[in-house]
Amino acid sequence: MNQVKQKLKGFMQHKEAWAVIGILIVLLFNVFFSPKFFQISFNNGHLYGSIIDVLNRGSSLVIVSLGMCLVIATRGVDISVGSVSAVGAMVAVFLLKSAGMAAAPAILCGLLAGLACGVWNGFLVAKLNIQPMIATLILMTVGRGIAQIISGGQILTINSKAYAFLGRGYVFGIPFPTIIMILVTLGVWLLTRKTSLGTSIEAVGINETSARYAGISTTQILWIVYIICGLLAALSGMIESANVSSADGNNNGLLLELDAILAVVLGGTSMDGGKFYLAGTVIGALFIQTLTTTIYTFGVPAETIMVVKALVVIFVVLLSTDRVKNAFAKLTERKKAGVENAG
Amino acid sequence: MRETPTVKKGDVVLSMRHIAKYFPGVKALDDVQLDLRAGEVHALMGENGAGKSTLIKVMTGVYERTSGTVTLHGQDINPKTPQEAQDLGISTVYQEVNLCPNLSVAENVYIGRQPMRFGQIDWHRMNADAVKLLESLDIHVDVTKTLDSYSVSVQQMIAIARAVDMSAGVLILDEPTSSLDSNEVAQLFAIIRHLRDQNMAILFVTHFMDQVYAISDRITVLRNGRYIGEYLAKDLPELDLVTKMIGQKFVDANTQAHRPSKDYSTVRFVRMEDISKRGLVHDFSMAVRAGEVLGLAGLLGSGRTEVAELLFGVTHFDDGVIYVGNDEVKRMNPRKALADQLGYCSEDRKVSGIVGDLSIRENIMLSLQAKKGLRRIPLKKQQEVAQKYIDLLDIKTPSMEKKIGDLSGGNQQKVLLARWLATDPKLLILDEPTRGIDINTKREIENLIVKLSRQGMAIIFISSEYEEMVRTCDRIIVLRDRHAVGELTDNQISQDNIMKVIAGGVAQ
Ligand SMILES: Nc1ncnc2c1ncn2[C@@H]1O[C@H](COP(=O)(O)OP(=O)(O)OP(=O)(O)O)[C@@H](O)[C@H]1O
Ligand SMILES: [Mg+2]
């Protein structure tokens, strides 16, 4: 009994705990009310089922959130990711449609567009010292305009099989977006945790002055995270657009920045920067997707999702305030004391 | 603010009994007691990490105590926040100044208790009151400027002024003098004596022995989180005090750091020629050779730190030339300085030193890793290096994976020293490296500095403590009003001469 308690306490020490609990709650809900949720079938060499769906549809959010996580770790935020994802998608689709480019180079150009956006954001934040929220606000509004200009204000549709594969393909029965997600997660993890980059990012987020005095190039670090974030936003935008074989400058990636921020914060990374949690971010993003898919399974109108998300946000914000944290700590402490007295 | 009951000199005002405070893995305090009496100055003494700051934080509600009682005027109290303690009449200046850097000086002094007029802050009166208060402590600043436009020492004095102004009955000062120079210390002591004569109970923490004996009536000693005893200052000779603090016979209170031999190379490793930066430094030149310890002496604000920051490229000079080796450097920055094998242990450990949420190991490795670039130093190697310096500098911690922010002030300072030693620099700039470090370790660090210079390192040493400079430096450049006014070498080096040159005289 005591051991269980110890374990539980140990688990709650992890920053990722809340995201895991969130997912578990939603899954538990499904166990009772929608057991079908857990069915996985194998048809035509493809895996099907709600779980697979979550991993498939959630991939693009996971990918953006990873970029967002690094930005937030430096004590910044990138609210342009939604727009950048639209720009990335639009560039790729436009080149496929109007310039007759093949899928691979078009995707590469989409990525380059994301990179350019990241360079721009990085320039404003790292070089000009503009507050991240304001700096990325520029691209958030201008980005959609750029996408509109490229498409001439139209929604562009295409029928490139190769491009569609990015969003709808399967490899070994596994959805291709899921595979990309796994590769990106692995890549970001290797890049930050197997090099010194991760610690430098955290140092910049915790105390930029100390980091600079210690000889870390804070400009370079900031630039790197905004570039990674831009790249990943564009990638995620292309996955989404490939899934529906079209690009819509107005609506692609709408409010994506909010979901991404929510995923990061749920995953245990603080908006105040510093220590960041990649696994937590992935779980946080998947939690949001599980929630969405569950609600859809019940045929509830889409607007309800917003309400539920709002509730989750309130819950998370409350949990992360010191007052609630302390109350929580006291509660567990008192219980422990009670147990000891009884025993 | 509530009325303080009338007290007679010598009455116990505040009393702590059987105080324990446990952190995960650390018993910071274990069965500690403390009595503060009206009209007395009480010194709380102990090595780095002994538990002094923790005891104060327990008393004032920053930390919740694990067990024990605190009574104020005979009544049990249990403040949950510093504000609550303040309302009870316990006014505190914590070891790390925690005012708001981007508010004005006046706002900082009156934050939370601004004078109001017609439901609005009465700015005019607030600024006027602030000026009056600060002038009475001989602090002359523009109270409408933001706090961060002033040096650490001025900020420290402002924090003290705020606490003194609010104090009712009990005043707690945790290492208030660590960043002050002797004039300011004298100022502060005058205020403390004045408050003592008004029957205030005052608790004072410092690592300077002379200050302890200059001001305190009674001394409580802690060691490793345990209570060792309470003594009358006049009954406890310094040697006994130190012995009680460190728990063994203190062998040689006055070990001189060995003055280095004069065989340092003639190669000037770094030269600054006619370096100027408007408003900060004027026409400063110097050269430092491998194997020598060059001191920069002067009052606070004389330009010592500014020279260091220009050399390391934290700020950029307008005019002049810097040579590193034979290369002229047009524009220095910390990253380049690091690559050129310079190191700079800065003055303000909280603002420009520690990275609070990272571990001790990560903090020690920070600069070495930055120098190595993206390729991560293998964990095993990191642990080796960290352990080496934890042992060498006697950093007190249960594990190198602890957050540096949870270490005691002096131990944080040691970690920063370790960070730069780990990069194995050719020139190490040390700005107040022993600030907040206990007497025993201080001597060890002085010896280490001399030893490193003997092995060929060039060292620039900045300190407000002339005694320390005299013990370690081969040569001292004295600054006043942002430029060099004199240089002392060999047997000219003495505290007297430093002060003479500062005062505008000539050394003999
Ligand atoms: N928030 C905390 N979490 C964990 N351990 C802590 C925390 N604060 C202090 N400690 C530990 O408690 C012990 C006592 O620290 P404290 O800051 O009281 O020392 P101190 O006597 O003030 O030392 P110094 O002279 O260096 O300021 C140290 O071992 C320190 O690491
Ligand atoms: Mg302390």
Side-chain angles (χ1 to χ4, degrees):
Chain A
M1 182 63 203
N2 245 336
Q3 239 177 12
V4 175
K5 206 161 230 157
Q6 280 294 323
K7 283 245 172 74
L8 197 71
K9 217 171 161 195
F11 169 72
M12 289 310 292
Q13 300 265 311
H14 288 283
K15 297 281 184 182
E16 298 92 341
W18 288 110
V20 173
I21 289 175
I23 284 204
L24 290 180
I25 290 175
V26 181
L27 290 181
L28 204 65
F29 178 85
N30 281 307
V31 168
F32 288 114
F33 297 100
S34 161
K36 274 208 312 273
F37 194 89
F38 298 94
Q39 279 173 11
I40 295 179
S41 58
F42 195 69
N43 278 339
N44 290 332
H46 298 172
L47 289 169
Y48 285 106
S50 294
I51 300 273
I52 302 300
D53 206 40
V54 166
L55 290 176
N56 187 0
R57 307 286 304 122
S59 307
S60 54
L61 180 59
V62 169
I63 291 169
V64 199
S65 303
L66 286 169
M68 183 69 84
C69 176
L70 299 185
V71 170
I72 287 181
T74 62
R75 212 173 186 173
V77 67
D78 183 350
I79 57 172
S80 71
V81 287
S83 298
V84 173
S85 81
V87 171
M90 188 58 81
V91 166
V93 170
F94 174 80
L95 290 176
L96 279 162
K97 190 180 173 104
S98 311
M101 212 181 243
I107 291 171
L108 198 69
C109 291
L111 287 177
L112 283 178
L115 183 121
C117 292
V119 169
W120 167 255
N121 282 334
F123 174 72
L124 295 182
V125 175
K127 276 283 173 195
L128 302 187
N129 282 323
I130 300 178
Q131 279 183 14
M133 175 90 83
I134 308 295
T136 54
L137 182 65
I138 299 175
L139 205 51
M140 181 191 183
T141 44
V142 175
R144 294 205 179 273
I146 295 174
Q148 293 286 349
I149 293 170
I150 296 175
S151 70
Q154 304 289 310
I155 296 177
L156 298 186
T157 53
I158 40 160
N159 50 12
S160 154
K161 279 244 166 58
Y163 187 63
F165 190 82
L166 187 63
R168 290 203 299 269
Y170 281 82
V171 176
F172 305 125
I174 302 167
F176 192 47
T178 309
I179 292 178
I180 301 178
M181 167 184 89
I182 294 170
L183 290 179
V184 166
T185 307
L186 199 69
V188 172
W189 179 74
L190 285 175
L191 184 65
T192 54
R193 294 303 182 199
K194 288 294 142 188
T195 70
S196 65
L197 188 61
T199 314
S200 302
I201 288 173
E202 290 177 338
V204 169
I206 296 165
N207 188 338
E208 197 178 328
T209 311
S210 289
R212 193 163 62 92
Y213 273 65
I216 293 174
S217 169
T218 53
T219 322
Q220 207 174 49
I221 299 291
L222 287 173
W223 224 325
I224 290 174
V225 295
Y226 283 93
I227 287 174
I228 293 177
C229 192
L231 270 175
L232 294 184
L235 177 60
S236 117
M238 287 187 287
I239 292 175
E240 286 286 306
S241 95
N243 190 42
V244 292
S245 287
S246 72
D248 175 352
N250 263 337
N251 292 309
N252 280 155
L254 202 61
L255 300 183
L256 184 60
E257 56 280 355
L258 298 185
D259 278 352
I261 294 171
L262 182 58
V264 172
V265 174
L266 261 174
T269 305
S270 157
M271 288 298 285
D272 284 339
K275 292 259 167 201
F276 64 90
Y277 302 91
L278 295 177
T281 302
V282 172
I283 298 169
L286 290 179
F287 163 69
I288 294 173
Q289 187 60 44
T290 313
L291 198 67
T292 314
T293 305
T294 303
I295 294 173
Y296 276 144
T297 330
F298 279 85
V300 181
E303 299 80 51
T304 320
I305 293 178
M306 298 306 259
V307 178
V308 175
K309 272 186 200 159
L311 289 176
V312 172
V313 171
I314 294 172
F315 188 66
V316 171
V317 170
L318 273 178
L319 279 176
S320 59
T321 56
D322 281 343
R323 188 172 293 201
V324 176
K325 251 191 224 154
N326 287 344
F328 200 79
K330 259 189 207 133
L331 209 70
T332 48
E333 227 156 69
R334 196 161 301 149
K335 272 206 194 118
K336 207 175 81 195
V339 169
E340 267 161 22
N341 287 344
Chain B
M1 222 162 291
R2 72 174 209 179
E3 276 303 303
T4 331
T6 45
V7 286
K8 293 198 305 291
K9 182 170 158 59
D11 286 355
V12 173
V13 175
L14 185 135
S15 169
M16 303 177 83
R17 283 290 176 278
H18 308 299
I19 299 291
K21 175 67 196 173
Y22 300 164
F23 294 108
V26 191
K27 284 188 177 179
L29 295 172
D30 194 11
D31 200 8
V32 168
Q33 64 179 68
L34 177 72
D35 286 316
L36 299 184
R37 294 173 177 77
E40 282 193 11
V41 179
H42 198 121
L44 183 58
M45 301 294 294
E47 286 185 292
N48 294 135
K52 305 177 295 291
S53 299
T54 306
L55 187 64
I56 288 169
K57 288 179 181 168
V58 162
M59 178 200 303
T60 58
V62 177
Y63 294 148
E64 194 168 357
R65 54 188 182 249
T66 307
S67 63
T69 55
V70 182
T71 56
L72 183 67
H73 303 298
Q75 287 181 331
D76 277 357
I77 59 166
N78 193 5
K80 291 270 180 285
T81 61
Q83 184 59 46
E84 228 176 283
Q86 179 73 64
D87 293 341
L88 291 167
I90 306 173
S91 211
T92 314
V93 177
Y94 295 97
Q95 186 169 6
E96 314 291 346
V97 176
N98 47 0
L99 299 176
C100 309
N102 41 17
L103 292 185
S104 77
V105 171
E107 280 174 291
N108 268 297
V109 172
Y110 289 106
I111 197 165
R113 54 191 187 111
Q114 295 94 336
M116 306 296 273
R117 188 158 177 253
F118 307 131
Q120 290 196 317
I121 294 178
D122 185 349
W123 290 96
H124 188 73
R125 195 172 126 219
M126 184 166 90
N127 289 339
D129 285 358
V131 169
K132 209 158 71 197
L133 172 68
L134 294 175
E135 298 263 302
S136 76
L137 305 185
D138 220 19
I139 310 167
H140 306 280
V141 293
D142 178 352
V143 298
T144 59
K145 272 204 184 165
T146 57
L147 187 75
D148 61 4
S149 39
Y150 292 101
S151 66
V152 200
S153 68
V154 173
Q155 294 187 22
Q156 180 76 47
M157 286 301 275
I158 290 167
I160 293 169
R162 172 184 159 80
V164 166
D165 193 44
M166 291 193 297
S167 59
V170 182
L171 177 64
I172 313 288
L173 302 167
D174 194 354
E175 296 196 34
T177 56
S178 61
S179 56
L180 304 185
D181 67 19
S182 48
N183 292 335
E184 289 165 310
V185 171
Q187 247 345 292
L188 176 63
F189 280 8
I191 298 162
I192 292 181
R193 289 200 183 92
H194 177 70
L195 293 173
R196 179 196 62 197
D197 294 342
Q198 292 176 337
N199 271 352
M200 184 93 84
I202 297 162
L203 182 68
F204 177 71
V205 179
T206 185
H207 290 292
F208 296 106
M209 291 297 160
D210 48 338
Q211 294 181 4
V212 175
Y213 286 101
I215 192 101
S216 52
D217 304 289
R218 226 176 270 265
I219 300 172
T220 288
V221 178
L222 301 183
R223 189 198 314 149
N224 286 331
R226 290 174 178 278
Y227 171 78
I228 300 302
E230 182 197 77
Y231 316 90
L232 283 172
K234 61 177 171 23
D235 296 345
L236 186 70
E238 182 172 330
L239 205 60
D240 290 1
L241 170 57
V242 175
T243 309
K244 294 205 186 311
M245 283 164 56
I246 66 177
Q248 54 193 311
K249 194 82 191 110
F250 185 56
V251 215
D252 215 346
N254 292 312
T255 322
Q256 287 275 328
H258 302 283
R259 288 292 292 277
S261 58
K262 296 287 167 327
D263 60 352
Y264 39 72
S265 80
T266 49
V267 182
R268 294 176 297 182
F269 176 52
V270 164
R271 276 183 293 153
M272 297 174 90
E273 282 177 9
D274 301 323
I275 293 290
S276 291
K277 161 104 186 161
R278 185 136 29 95
L280 291 180
V281 171
H282 185 66
D283 255 348
F284 183 83
S285 300
M286 65 101 192
V288 59
R289 283 164 290 209
E292 96 175 315
V293 184
L294 170 66
L296 297 184
L299 298 176
L300 291 163
S302 59
R304 307 174 308 192
T305 297
E306 287 75 4
V307 165
E309 304 224 311
L310 286 170
L311 179 52
F312 199 67
V314 177
T315 49
H316 305 293
F317 50 88
D318 308 327
D319 258 322
V321 199
I322 291 182
Y323 293 94
V324 176
N326 293 320
D327 302 330
E328 183 182 331
V329 181
K330 288 253 160 44
R331 191 179 166 88
M332 194 56 126
N333 64 55
R335 209 157 77 103
K336 171 156 175 39
L338 181 66
D340 284 346
Q341 299 205 291
L342 271 56
Y344 172 42
C345 193
S346 66
E347 170 185 41
D348 190 336
R349 71 166 165 262
K350 193 179 174 194
V351 171
S352 57
I354 66 166
V355 181
D357 279 345
L358 291 188
S359 68
I360 296 164
R361 170 179 56 80
E362 287 167 315
N363 267 284
I364 292 179
M365 300 308 295
L366 205 59
S367 291
L368 183 57
Q369 179 66 71
K371 195 170 170 180
K372 291 253 150 74
L374 261 190
R375 185 192 292 264
R376 203 172 77 119
I377 300 168
L379 188 61
K380 213 159 154 247
K381 174 85 178 145
Q382 295 191 32
Q383 286 164 340
E384 269 172 38
V385 175
Q387 194 57 51
K388 175 178 153 198
Y389 288 103
I390 287 174
D391 295 340
L392 181 72
L393 299 173
D394 192 21
I395 297 169
K396 292 209 178 72
T397 174
S399 144
M400 68 172 77
E401 299 305 327
K402 283 237 160 221
K403 272 178 20 178
I404 190 178
D406 288 346
L407 285 184
S408 80
N411 283 304
Q412 291 180 8
Q413 185 68 38
K414 294 185 210 166
V415 171
L416 296 181
L417 213 54
R419 176 190 293 170
W420 288 108
L421 292 178
T423 66
D424 192 19
K426 280 189 175 163
L427 167 65
L428 182 56
I429 309 165
L430 298 168
D431 196 350
E432 304 281 6
T434 62
R435 170 174 295 170
I437 287 190
D438 63 47
I439 176 167
N440 211 20
T441 317
K442 185 181 271 184
R443 287 295 154 80
E444 279 164 25
I445 290 176
E446 285 171 16
N447 288 334
L448 182 68
I449 289 171
V450 172
K451 190 171 126 210
L452 289 170
S453 80
R454 277 270 183 81
Q455 292 166 358
M457 198 184 283
I459 290 170
I460 294 181
F461 189 84
I462 302 174
S463 170
S464 299
E465 234 185 300
Y466 303 143
E467 223 179 304
E468 185 177 69
M469 300 197 76
V470 169
R471 276 197 300 266
T472 41
C473 296
D474 297 302
R475 197 153 61 86
I476 294 179
I477 295 179
V478 180
L479 289 107
R480 193 182 63 215
D481 297 334
R482 313 194 170 277
H483 65 272
V485 291
E487 182 171 328
L488 305 172
T489 48
D490 300 328
N491 43 17
Q492 288 177 316
I493 295 179
S494 72
Q495 286 192 61
D496 270 355
N497 276 341
I498 295 177
M499 287 191 273
K500 257 188 208 135
V501 176
I502 288 176
V506 181
Q508 38 206 259

